[in-house]
Amino acid sequence: MASDTLLIIGGGPAGLEAARGAADLGCKAVLVEQRAALGGTPISAHYAALTHGMRDAAEVMGEMVAAVANDSLVDVRLGTTVTGITGAAGDFAVTLRRDGAEERVSAGAIIVATGFDHFDPGRATQQYGYYMYDDVITLTDAEKMLKEGKFVRPSTGQPPERVCFIQCVGSRDRHIGNEYCSKVCCGIASKQAIEIRERLPQCRVFIFYIDMRMYGYWENDLYWPAQEKHKVNYIKGVISEVVLKGDRLIVRGEDTTMNRPMEVPMDIVILSNGMEPSAGTKAVARTLGLRQNKYGFIDVAHDTLDPVTTSVPGIFVAGAAAGPKDLDDTMGMAGAATMKAVATIRRHARMTSAR
Ligand SMILES: Cc1cc2nc3c(=O)[nH]c(=O)nc-3n(C[C@H](O)[C@H](O)[C@H](O)COP(=O)(O)OP(=O)(O)OC[C@H]3O[C@@H](n4cnc5c(N)ncnc54)[C@H](O)[C@@H]3O)c2cc1C
Ligand code: SF4
C-alpha cells in the first residue's frame, strides 16, 4: 500500500518550510521535533536579529511556526524522535517515540531536517581559553546577550570598551578535521559588530580574519556598512593565543598584512565558532541507514546538481543537516526536497492504483 503522508524530521527553518510546502501542495505531513517547541536553532539558541533585514528571530520563526500550526494537513509531534524504520520508498513504516511510548506511522517519503550544532571551542582550541576565561565567549553567547538587550563583560557586568572577534574557530581547520567553511560566521560576526557599535558607540570593535567570506547580499548589507558607517576594524591576521593579564584579555598573533606580531588588549573576545552536524542528525542517519560524509553531515547525490537526495531512495535532506547553510540555502533546499518527496509519494500512489 502506498502512503499519502510525508514524514519530516526536525522542526527548524528547513522542516517548517518543508511542512508548509507539502501542505501547499495538498500533501499530508507529519512533522516530528525532538524539542518541546518548533523553530529550530534560531529559537533554541536565542538568536537576536536575523539577516537579511535584521528582523527579530523569534518573530520570523513565529510566523513560520504559525503557518504550519494552523494547517490541518500538518500533524505536529513535539518531544518526539524516530527510533526505527522498515519498508521502502512509497511505503515506509517509521517508529516514533514520545515519553517512552512508541507508535508506528506510515510515510511515502521522508525529509530529514535535523540541522546543526555549534562547534564547541573548548574541545580543541584550548589556546583561546573558552572554558578558562569568563570574557571569552562564542557567537552564540553574544547572540543571547544581544537578544536580552544588554552587551556586557560577563566577568564584571560592565559594558566593554574593546571587543574582538576571532574568525574560523572550528572551521577551515585541518588539525581539528573540519576543513570546511561554515559559511555564516563572517556575516554573523559583521552583523554582531554593527549591533555592538550601535549599542555601545564608545566601544572599539575588531574582527581578526584569515579572509572574509560574504555571500550574496551580505557584502552590501553587512561588510561595507560595518567598516564605513560603523567603523569596525577588520584585521587580517592569525591569532595564536588569548591570555589573561590583570583584568584584561591579551590577544596574541600575527598581523599578516603588516607582517608583524601583534598583542592587543580586549575586554571581550568572541570566538566565531562554526557549524557541525547535530547529534540528532548523526542519530537519524544511523537509524535510517543514510550515508554520512567524512564530517558526519548527511551525504547527498551531488552537492550542486542534486543537494537533497540521500543514499536511501525516498529519503531526502534539507538544511544544515547536509552541511553548513544560511537561511537562504536552507529555504531553497527545503523547497527542492519537498518537491522531490511529494513527487515520490504521488508516483507511488499512481503505481499502486494502476495495479
Ligand atoms: C550564531 C548563528 C547565527 C545565525 N544567524 C543567521 C542569520 O542571521 N541569517 C541566516 O541566514 N542564517 C543564520 N544562521 C544560520 C541558521 O541558523 C541556519 O541556516 C538554520 O538554523 C538551519 O536550519 P535547519 O532547519 O536546517 O536546522 P536547525 O535550525 O538546527 O533545526 C533543526 C531542528 O531539528 C531538530 N532535531 C534535531 N535532531 C532531531 C531528531 N533526531 N528528531 C527530531 N528533531 C530533531 C532540532 O531540535 C531543531 O529544532 C546563524 C547561525 C549561527 C551559528
Ligand atoms: S564563514 Fe568566515 S569565519 Fe566562518 S568558516 Fe568561513 S571564512 Fe571562517
Side-chain angles (χ1 to χ4, degrees):
M1 256 297 278
S3 167
D4 60 356
T5 301
L6 170 63
L7 178 74
I8 301 161
I9 310 170
L16 289 167
E17 178 64 5
R20 192 185 63 82
D24 281 351
L25 291 168
C27 178
K28 284 201 272 184
V30 174
L31 177 60
V32 171
E33 166 57 50
Q34 66 183 2
R35 293 198 172 99
L38 296 172
T41 307
I43 294 299
S44 65
H46 311 283
Y47 291 175
L50 288 181
T51 65
H52 315 297
M54 305 293 261
R55 283 189 64 205
D56 179 71
E59 200 181 290
V60 174
M61 295 316 304
E63 285 170 10
M64 290 191 74
V65 170
V68 305
N70 297 328
D71 198 309
S72 59
L73 286 174
V74 184
D75 176 4
V76 177
R77 309 288 185 91
L78 298 176
T80 304
T81 51
V82 171
T83 55
I85 186 168
T86 56
D91 188 20
F92 291 110
V94 182
T95 310
L96 304 182
R97 179 179 289 152
R98 179 168 189 268
D99 292 337
E102 292 205 325
E103 176 198 0
R104 299 250 286 185
V105 296
S106 71
I110 297 171
I111 294 178
V112 176
T114 43
F116 72 100
D117 280 346
H118 302 96
F119 173 77
D120 174 1
R123 197 183 78 204
T125 50
Q126 299 293 344
Q127 74 266 37
Y128 299 143
Y130 181 61
Y131 287 127
M132 251 183 302
Y133 310 129
D134 290 345
D135 296 333
V136 178
I137 64 174
T138 61
L139 276 186
T140 334
D141 300 326
E143 273 300 304
K144 192 159 182 259
M145 277 205 275
L146 291 166
K147 185 173 182 64
E148 286 162 358
K150 58 170 189 189
F151 191 79
V152 292
R153 289 182 73 175
S155 64
T156 61
Q158 296 304 308
E161 288 167 10
R162 293 168 68 87
V163 172
C164 77
F165 292 80
I166 301 177
Q167 298 306 105
C168 299
V169 175
S171 313
R172 303 177 68 195
D173 187 328
R174 292 185 184 184
H175 297 295
I176 293 168
N178 292 353
E179 295 112 338
Y180 55 85
C181 167
S182 284
K183 281 191 171 177
V184 301
C185 9
C186 279
I188 302 309
S190 300
K191 180 200 78 125
Q192 291 187 357
I194 292 173
E195 289 170 302
I196 294 166
R197 289 280 299 150
E198 278 175 343
R199 248 167 240 274
L200 305 169
Q202 305 308 323
C203 179
R204 295 191 66 192
V205 179
F206 303 80
I207 298 183
F208 296 113
Y209 67 94
I210 307 173
D211 51 70
M212 291 303 283
R213 295 184 171 177
M214 294 287 159
Y215 295 88
Y217 299 128
W218 284 5
E219 186 83 10
N220 268 347
D221 286 356
L222 301 168
Y223 181 62
W224 291 114
Q227 291 174 72
E228 292 167 355
K229 183 166 174 220
H230 301 280
K231 310 297 174 212
V232 174
N233 304 289
Y234 285 74
I235 299 171
K236 191 171 174 69
V238 179
I239 303 304
S240 51
E241 63 173 353
V242 176
V243 294
L244 191 65
K245 210 171 184 178
D247 69 343
R248 267 204 158 150
L249 296 164
I250 304 295
V251 176
R252 288 194 184 126
E254 192 192 337
D255 181 328
T256 47
T257 307
M258 307 301 280
N259 215 3
R260 64 178 181 210
M262 60 179 168
E263 197 170 286
V264 279
M266 291 292 157
D267 295 322
I268 296 180
V269 171
I270 303 175
L271 306 180
S272 289
N273 55 330
M275 293 167 129
E276 292 190 316
S278 68
T281 290
K282 292 188 207 162
V284 162
R286 280 193 303 274
T287 305
L288 304 185
L290 306 177
R291 199 168 58 226
Q292 298 170 67
N293 68 18
K294 65 189 277 204
Y295 311 114
F297 290 108
I298 289 171
D299 214 4
V300 293
H302 190 286
D303 282 323
T304 313
L305 299 178
D306 188 355
V308 300
T309 296
T310 72
S311 57
V312 175
I315 305 186
F316 304 91
V317 62
K325 300 272 177 312
D326 65 4
L327 287 168
D328 301 30
D329 292 349
T330 297
M331 303 299 272
M333 237 181 132
T338 307
M339 185 266 287
K340 288 196 186 238
V342 173
T344 301
I345 291 171
R346 303 249 155 101
R347 192 166 56 247
H348 282 272
R350 277 198 304 275
M351 277 156 43
T352 308
S353 63
R355 268 183 214 137

